[in-house]
Every structure is written in C-alpha cells, then in structure tokens.
Amino acid sequence: MPVPKMMPMTTNTATSASMAALCWMICFAGCGQKWAEDASGDLRIVDNRGGKTLGYNSSSGVALLTVDRLAFKDLNRNGALEPYEDWRLPSGDRAKDLASRMSVEQIAGLMLYSSHQAVPASGGFFGRATYGGKPYADSGAKAWDLTDEQKRFLTEDRVRHVLITSAESPEVAARWNNNVQALAESMPFGIPVNTSSDPRHRARVEFEFLVGASRAVSIWPNAIGLAATFDPEIVRNFGDIASREYRALGIATALSPQIDLATDPRWSRFSGTFGGDPALATDMARRYVDGFQTSVGDAALEGSWGLDSVNAMAKHWPGGGSGEGGRDAHFSYGKYSVYPGGNFDLHLRPFTDGAFQLEGGTGQASAIMPNYTIPHRQDGGENVGSAFSRHVIANLLRERHGFDGVVCTDWGVTADYAGVDRFGASPWGVEGLTEGERHYRALVAGVDQFGGNNDAGPVLEAYRMGVAELGEAEMRLRFEQSAVRLLTNIFRVGLFENPYLDAERTKATVGHPDHMAAGYDAQVKSLVLVKNRGGVLPLAEGVRAYIPKRHLPAGRTFFGMVTPARVEDGLDAEIAAQSFAVATTPDDADAAVVVMESPMSGPGYDAADARAGGNGYLPRTLQFRPYTAVQARAESIAGGDPLEGFTNRSYRGKRSAASNVADLNSVLETRQKMPDKPLIVVLKAANPTVVSEFEASADAILVSFGVQEEAIFDVLTGRAEPSGLLPIQMPAYMRTVEEQAEDTPHDMRVHVDSEGNAYDFGFGLGWGGVIDDDRTKRYVGNPQIKE
C-alpha cells in the first residue's frame, strides 16, 4: 500500500515552511526517502494530503500507521488504528473511545490541573523547583528544560493540564512545550499536555491572576479597559489575536474571560472584569469567547474548532462580584457573596446569555470555573463554596442551563484551611472534611477537574469513596464522563495530531507588529477623559510639563509579601521627553501632569484587630483620606467560620485608610505651587474612586485602565482623541458605597464635577464635549442617581 507524502506542513499556525531546514522531511510515493535533521534530530512533521498534519517525536516510541493511504499516529503502540487515533472521526467519539480504555489512575491524572509553573522555574511563592536536585541557577539546565517536579507530576501523577505563568521568552516557551509534549507522548496512550494561562496581554502584573503578563506578547488594556471602549468588536479582535499568540506559545486553554458582574465597586478583582453592567458585560463575554475559540479557513479542523482555537474557561460561575463589603474570596474573610438586592439571576447573564450563546460556531465556552464564594442563601441550603454545591453546579449550571463542558475548580479549593487571612487554601463550607472528602463532594456536585492540584492521591481516594457509596460501575461511569469532557477539549484543538511548535514561527507570531498595533489602538480607545475645563487638553507638544514623582509606601502584595517603600517617576521620563520638555520644578513649568492610582485599600481584615479582641473586619475604602464606616451595616448579612466564634462581620464605626494617600497630596500640593497653570490628573484606576477629594483642583482628568504610558501621552498631546466611556460609576462619597447593594449595578450616587458633568456609567468626553454616539444609545439607559 502506498505511504503518504510527509513534509513540513504549511497551514498549522504552530509550524511553518521554515521547518524545511530544521525538521525531518520524509517523502514516500515513488520519490524515495528524503530527510533532514533538526537540532535534536527527533521532530517529524507529516503532511497528509487533504487531511490533518501530524507531528511526533521519533524518540517517544510512536510510529506511523498507514490506512487508506493516510498516516495516523500509533499512540498506544499496538500496531492497529484505534478510534481515538483516527483523526477522521469527531472529537467526541474519539474522546469516548479513549476514556473507555483508560485506567482509573490515568483518568485521575487527567482530572488534575497543575499548580503555577514558571519557565524556567526558580521556586519562590509558587513552590520549590529543582533541576537534577539543584536550584535552576546552580543546575546548568537550559531555560526550557523540565523541572524535577514537572517530570514527576507528568509521569507519576499523569497530569495532562499545566498552568504556566511567566516564560523567559517566546522561544523558550516553544522549546519547553516541545519537551513537555515529547515526554507526554512517550507515555501510554500518548495523551498530549493541555497548557493554560491566566491573562497575559496586560501592560502590568497586578495580582496572582495576572502573573503571566508579558511584554513579549501584544499589549492590551485590562478587561475593564476593554469595557471602556464600549466596543465588543475590539474584544473579538483581541480574542482572535490573543488566541494565535497563545497557540504559538503552546497554550491551548485560557483561564478567562473573567465575566463576574463587578457590582460591588470595592472588589480587588474589579479591573479583571468587564464591569457591572449586565448588557455590556454579556456582549463582551460573548465576543471574547468567540474570538478565542473560533478558527477559520485552513486553521479550522472540525466546524469552527481548530489550530487557532483556544479553549476559553469562563469564570467565576455563578458570579463572584458581590462579596460582602467588597472583600475577596481567596481569603476566608471574603468567603460570602451576598444578594441584598435580590439580583442573583442577573449575575448569571454574562454566562447564560453571553459565553453560552456564541455566534462563531463553537457553541459555548468549553469550560467553566466556579467561584470560591459561598452564594449566601442561593445554594439550596448547602452553604458551601460553589465548587462543592450540587445546586450550583449540577442543578443550576448543568441541568437548568444545559452546560455539558468541563467544570474546573478554582485553585486551592480542596486544600486544607490555614487561617482567616491566609492565601492558597479556600475550602469554604467544607473546612471540616478531609482533602479526599472534598474531592468527592466536588465530583458529586458535577466538577470534572481540580485546579492547583498535582497529586492524584486525593482524586483516587474520592474514587474509592464513590465505589463504597455507589458501586464500581457507577463510579467508573462518573470518571469516564469527566474524562470525555476533558479529552474533547484536547482533541478539537488538534493537539493529538500535532502538539509541537516551531520556535522560529513562535518568535515571528508572538508580538507581531500588526498584533502590537491592534493592542495599542485598543489601549488608546480605552482612555476616558472625564474633565477638560477650558479645553486645556490637548497640550501642545513641547510644552514644559512638571511631572511630580510618586512616593509609594511600604506594603504587601496580594500574596502577603512585604514590598519596600519607594519613589518612582509619575510617568516614564524618557517617554515623557518625546512629547514634552520635562520641567524639574513647578516654577519652570507651563503645566503639570500628576499621576495617581485609585486608592489602595486594605483587604478589609486585620489580624491584629482580631488578636486585640475585635472581630478583625475593617472597611474597604475608595477614598484616599482616612475613612470611618459610620453608615456600614450594624449586622453583616453573612458570617461564620471554623476559626471565628461569631457570625457578625460588621465593621461599623471602624476606620481604614488608603496606603497611597501621597498620591492625593501630590495633586493638592502641586495645585498650591501652580495655582494659575493647567493641572492634569492621570488616574490609573483599578476600582471606582471618590474623586471629590481632588477633582476641583484638576483642570483635566484622564482615566486609564491598564495601558502603556505612550498611549496616555498620545491623548494628552492630541495625537489621538479620547473616545473611551466610563464602564463604572465614580461614587460621590463613601456613604453611597456603603448604602449600595453589593449585587446591584448602577445604584450609587455619582460625583458631579465643577463643570456639571456626572461621572456615571457611560460618560466620557471627546475634544468636542460629551460623547453621545451609537455606543451610548445602546448601553446607557439606566437612570442616574445624582447628588
């Protein structure tokens, strides 16, 4: 039987014609054998004429099968073409066949999602990492080598889903991917690794959920900045570009979008959302997932799934933006979502009407991540975190809303509870269970996968519990059900056929100039001008501008690590010098540009207060000056924790202050020094802000949501006209923040400035005044509540 022609493929985004000089080329069909060896001598690319391109590592033990003159990978090495190896069959059928062949231990490995992995790994916050028993710096290892820990969890625990954070470079990421895939391919069934990432395309790293941010990829605004464009097509374009860059890095799953309705303005994860407006967030969610998951043209393999597709894991079902007091549920002090406005169903809309109602052909988001929180009085009385709630997952998500994709827990929900203010373990409502019991409860609830767990032991323990309760046959079916969902996501993006990358193609794709230009354009369009008294903007290029330095206090990161006090430029001096003559003193300046960040509030909990006999709870603040919560609830809506002997988490009458009050002082002091000169404030906003503390001192205010400073200067100098709209409300004062309902959008009194403009959702200025266009007509329909 003739053997198919094999050569470097030209249509896969992960490989290119440049491989002709690098990889093996084998040509049969009467022309004899031809091959050339790449740097390692092991990678082979097979082009099935009219079929799917294959890639495999010759040292993995995988060989080729020829059926109907087409090539297939003999992944289980038995010399026969099994249904799961047949790329002509639908992904679902292949997944069912493979799941039926796998042992319970192999399925357990498939159900794990690794802890955070850096490339190369240097240990640190995310755990110990060694190369041949030594730290990376002492090991002599290459940056793309696998750590001892990675080899162990891939082989012993059979992990096939890996979360990567930082990578030294795109080339290093590609080479590391190829090493990972070669190891996985050498094991029984040859199941490739599905690598994932938290958002990477941001201008700055902020918290745990942005540790993968990198300047090597195209740079886009934060999610709330994308919302500020009020243009879902920009989000679709972002998804298209980001998915191609992800696949070039070996990433086939995005742990995004974060589509929680951010209806409480104090939440620390606000900037990672599309805001609190249900209509805007829903449209953004739909276009984001469509962009990431849809492949077209030669890249499409099965419907709209294919080589440019990245599985989108929408989070956090059923919405985590209504934590009581704005506290975050990574920690026990923020474990409860509350619904004083009765709007629980409203928080489902970005999922049910957005991520589950796609237009691009993939149907719905391929995966869902439940939130950490206990949805207070919304889970059928279970009073547990969403991942453990049968009502939230099995009844609400799967039965009522028909979701049959993967459900993966957030990271650390099955770990042992360490303390009210400790990061990394969040088994809310099931603190008293063993780790194995938590896994079993999540399986019963309808979960398929466990985030941040490299150890198969607790999953196998859960299996044994299920056998004891339900019987071997039923528990085996339950495991296979999850395996089919997980494998389907790997099959339909083409990883079983070719999981390997061409490092040169990766370098050419990631951060391509066209991608960079599109991201930069979105950044400019996300900037919101809310004040421009007397038309002081745009400033003339070459104007002498005073940009005071920022004085940042010592503090703690999201993880609790101490950061030292420091002084830094308000805006990068070299970038500023391209637009202005930078003045060193106010007296030498024609205008001032003062940079501030939104108030940096404490987390809403202080262990020292608890040790001193208080309940530990403090207000989260959106103002700079010290704030006393006189109007806060006397009784919290929710409460209760194994380490707390009370249920009232009220902070009424307590005081807190933003750590960056120096930002406010900088504005006020600069105004005193320059009373008659234009003063422009650039507010880098992560949350809504009580701007009344400084607005009267500013002639112009430009709001930024995570952009490069070059984009800010383009607007300040008039090289670009501002077109962004506020995706948030700016509260008039903290009293209205306390009085708003955590689950209700647009229910605060908003600030009205000296020009009579209300800083409400959908407000923004262009050079011609208040923006009123198709975007405002579509999305701005809620009545304003003004002072």
Side-chain angles (χ1 to χ4, degrees):
M1 178 178 294
V3 183
K5 186 176 181 181
M6 294 180 277
M7 59 175 57
M9 91 173 172
T10 58
T11 57
N12 190 333
T13 58
T15 58
S16 72
S18 66
M19 284 189 115
L22 298 174
C23 70
W24 288 81
M25 295 181 294
I26 307 174
C27 177
F28 297 101
C31 62
Q33 290 186 336
K34 296 180 181 178
W35 56 75
E37 193 171 10
D38 73 353
S40 68
D42 294 328
L43 181 61
R44 288 170 168 78
I45 300 297
V46 182
D47 181 12
N48 277 297
R49 293 291 180 87
K52 295 183 181 179
T53 300
L54 311 181
Y56 70 102
N57 188 296
S58 63
S59 65
S60 69
V62 168
L64 291 180
L65 299 169
T66 304
V67 178
D68 298 332
R69 302 186 64 186
L70 297 172
F72 301 85
K73 292 161 68 173
D74 187 12
L75 292 168
N76 65 356
R77 303 162 184 79
N78 69 349
L81 180 63
E82 309 293 358
Y84 90 90
E85 298 166 332
D86 189 344
W87 45 258
R88 298 169 298 184
L89 298 177
S91 293
D93 293 350
R94 299 174 70 188
K96 290 176 183 176
D97 176 71
L98 178 52
S100 71
R101 299 171 186 274
M102 295 173 68
S103 69
V104 168
E105 290 75 14
Q106 289 164 333
I107 294 176
L110 196 64
M111 298 169 83
L112 302 176
Y113 224 127
S114 84
S115 57
H116 299 68
Q117 305 294 310
V119 182
S122 56
F125 181 82
F126 291 117
R128 180 176 180 268
T130 59
Y131 295 79
K134 298 178 181 180
Y136 174 68
D138 302 329
S139 67
K142 297 181 178 64
W144 50 81
D145 286 342
L146 306 187
T147 67
D148 300 331
E149 293 74 20
Q150 289 164 356
K151 293 175 183 176
R152 186 177 305 117
F153 68 61
L154 288 168
T155 57
E156 296 178 13
D157 293 288
R158 303 174 180 87
V159 172
R160 287 299 177 270
H161 294 80
V162 176
L163 170 60
I164 63 167
T165 57
S166 60
E168 184 176 286
S169 69
E171 180 182 6
V172 166
R175 291 179 178 272
W176 179 85
N177 169 82
N178 290 353
N179 284 338
V180 168
Q181 300 296 1
L183 178 58
E185 190 176 72
S186 71
M187 296 179 64
F189 297 118
I191 300 171
V193 170
N194 184 353
T195 302
S196 72
S197 174
D198 281 302
R200 308 186 75 80
H201 291 75
R202 304 295 182 255
R204 57 182 293 191
V205 178
E206 291 175 313
F207 293 126
E208 166 261 344
F209 32 87
L210 286 181
V211 291
S214 167
R215 288 254 173 168
V217 297
S218 57
I219 305 299
W220 298 72
N222 290 343
I224 194 66
L226 290 171
T229 69
F230 276 62
D231 187 349
E233 286 309 305
I234 288 178
V235 176
R236 170 62 190 258
N237 192 36
F238 163 68
D240 288 339
I241 289 172
S243 65
R244 291 198 291 273
E245 294 188 324
Y246 271 32
R247 293 303 300 270
L249 292 166
I251 298 167
T253 294
L255 302 187
S256 59
Q258 185 188 340
I259 54 177
D260 311 272
L261 273 188
T263 47
D264 190 281
R266 297 163 289 188
W267 190 28
S268 62
R269 300 196 68 171
F270 195 103
S271 67
T273 75
F274 294 126
D277 184 76
L280 181 62
T282 295
D283 286 350
M284 295 295 188
R286 183 185 306 110
R287 302 307 277 162
Y288 187 109
V289 178
D290 267 332
F292 266 85
Q293 291 190 169
T294 304
S295 291
V296 297
D298 291 340
L301 299 176
E302 183 178 344
S304 295
W305 288 101
L307 302 175
D308 288 339
S309 297
V310 171
N311 292 290
M313 186 180 292
K315 58 188 184 184
H316 305 85
W317 176 267
S322 63
E324 186 163 17
R327 297 185 294 271
D328 185 71
H330 278 82
F331 305 89
S332 178
Y333 56 69
K335 71 200 299 184
Y336 294 102
S337 289
V338 294
Y339 303 89
N343 289 310
F344 177 82
D345 287 343
L346 192 67
H347 284 251
L348 304 182
R349 280 186 53 189
F351 297 92
T352 59
D353 297 349
F356 298 172
Q357 301 291 332
L358 303 182
E359 299 170 352
T362 60
Q364 61 182 12
S366 68
I368 285 291
M369 182 185 293
N371 61 23
Y372 286 118
T373 60
I374 297 171
H376 184 61
R377 296 183 177 175
Q378 300 293 329
D379 66 351
E382 294 178 276
N383 202 39
V384 293
S386 294
F388 303 105
S389 171
R390 182 171 179 82
H391 176 78
V392 170
I393 305 301
N395 297 345
L396 187 62
L397 176 63
R398 293 209 185 276
E399 295 175 17
R400 185 183 306 177
H401 293 289
F403 182 77
D404 193 38
V406 167
V407 175
C408 176
T409 74
D410 211 332
W411 267 233
V413 303
T414 58
D416 288 332
Y417 179 40
V420 176
D421 61 346
R422 297 291 297 275
F423 177 86
S426 46
W428 310 143
V430 292
E431 294 93 338
L433 301 183
T434 67
E435 195 170 359
E437 288 169 339
R438 293 184 201 117
H439 282 76
Y440 182 53
R441 172 135 190 179
L443 285 169
V444 170
V447 163
D448 302 298
Q449 196 167 33
F450 303 96
N453 181 10
N454 305 343
D455 181 7
V459 183
L460 293 172
E461 183 181 351
Y463 181 83
R464 291 189 290 271
M465 292 176 186
V467 170
E469 180 178 354
L470 306 172
E472 181 88 37
E474 186 167 345
M475 201 59 195
R476 169 74 199 195
L477 286 175
R478 176 64 188 86
F479 259 45
E480 285 192 27
Q481 182 184 47
S482 288
V484 169
R485 292 170 179 151
L486 292 160
L487 290 167
T488 297
N489 287 356
I490 304 176
F491 276 113
R492 61 190 176 189
V493 296
L495 289 179
F496 271 88
E497 278 58 69
N498 183 20
Y500 296 99
L501 301 174
D502 171 4
E504 293 303 313
R505 180 62 178 267
T506 292
K507 289 193 292 184
T509 300
V510 176
H512 187 280
D514 290 347
H515 300 171
M516 290 292 193
Y520 188 79
D521 181 64
Q523 292 180 57
V524 171
K525 289 178 177 177
S526 74
L527 290 164
V528 184
L529 183 65
V530 294
K531 187 175 184 181
N532 194 20
R533 182 164 57 199
V536 297
L537 291 181
L539 296 172
E541 291 200 39
V543 71
R544 292 173 299 169
Y546 173 61
I547 307 174
K549 291 185 180 295
R550 296 186 65 217
H551 295 262
L552 301 174
R556 291 183 179 275
T557 68
F558 186 80
F559 310 114
M561 294 181 287
V562 175
T563 57
R566 63 194 188 279
V567 177
E568 63 181 31
D569 289 337
L571 292 169
D572 185 272
E574 291 186 9
I575 298 174
Q578 298 172 18
S579 299
F580 302 137
V582 179
T584 56
T585 68
D587 291 339
D588 296 332
D590 301 316
V593 178
V594 185
V595 177
M596 64 195 317
E597 293 189 52
S598 50
M600 298 177 184
S601 176
Y605 184 85
D606 182 11
D609 177 80
R611 289 192 296 269
N615 68 359
Y617 290 86
L618 300 177
R620 283 183 55 78
T621 183
L622 300 180
Q623 70 179 40
F624 291 97
R625 296 296 189 207
Y627 163 64
T628 301
V630 176
Q631 289 87 19
R633 298 183 182 105
E635 294 284 335
S636 65
I637 294 174
D641 186 89
L643 298 182
E644 293 178 339
F646 56 86
T647 58
N648 185 9
R649 293 181 162 192
S650 173
Y651 49 81
R652 188 171 187 173
K654 290 187 176 181
R655 185 180 184 187
S656 65
S659 62
N660 62 327
V661 68
D663 279 350
L664 172 64
N665 294 337
S666 182
V667 174
L668 302 181
E669 291 168 3
T670 301
R671 172 49 75 200
Q672 288 181 340
K673 295 172 183 177
M674 303 175 66
D676 301 317
K677 297 177 181 179
L679 188 155
I680 294 92
V681 169
V682 175
L683 173 61
K684 296 183 175 181
N687 288 85
T689 299
V690 178
V691 299
S692 59
E693 294 177 297
F694 64 87
E695 176 268 315
S697 297
D699 294 294
I701 302 174
L702 183 67
V703 184
S704 160
F705 297 102
V707 302
Q708 295 168 278
E709 293 184 357
E710 292 90 339
I712 293 172
F713 283 109
D714 276 355
V715 170
L716 293 180
T717 60
R719 290 191 291 264
E721 181 173 0
S723 62
L725 303 170
L726 284 177
I728 59 179
Q729 291 183 309
M730 292 295 194
Y733 36 65
M734 278 302 297
R735 176 178 177 177
T736 191
V737 176
E738 294 291 359
E739 292 175 344
Q740 58 90 34
E742 284 94 335
D743 63 326
T744 302
H746 311 319
D747 64 339
M748 293 189 295
R749 294 185 180 276
V750 299
H751 178 76
V752 179
D753 70 10
S754 61
E755 308 304 291
N757 290 317
Y759 291 3
D760 208 340
F761 172 79
F763 170 73
L765 299 173
W767 300 142
V770 176
I771 296 172
D772 183 14
D773 57 18
D774 290 342
R775 298 172 300 160
T776 58
K777 290 179 176 61
R778 177 176 176 83
Y779 293 111
V780 184
N782 297 297
Q784 297 181 358
I785 304 173
K786 301 180 183 178
E787 174 65 346

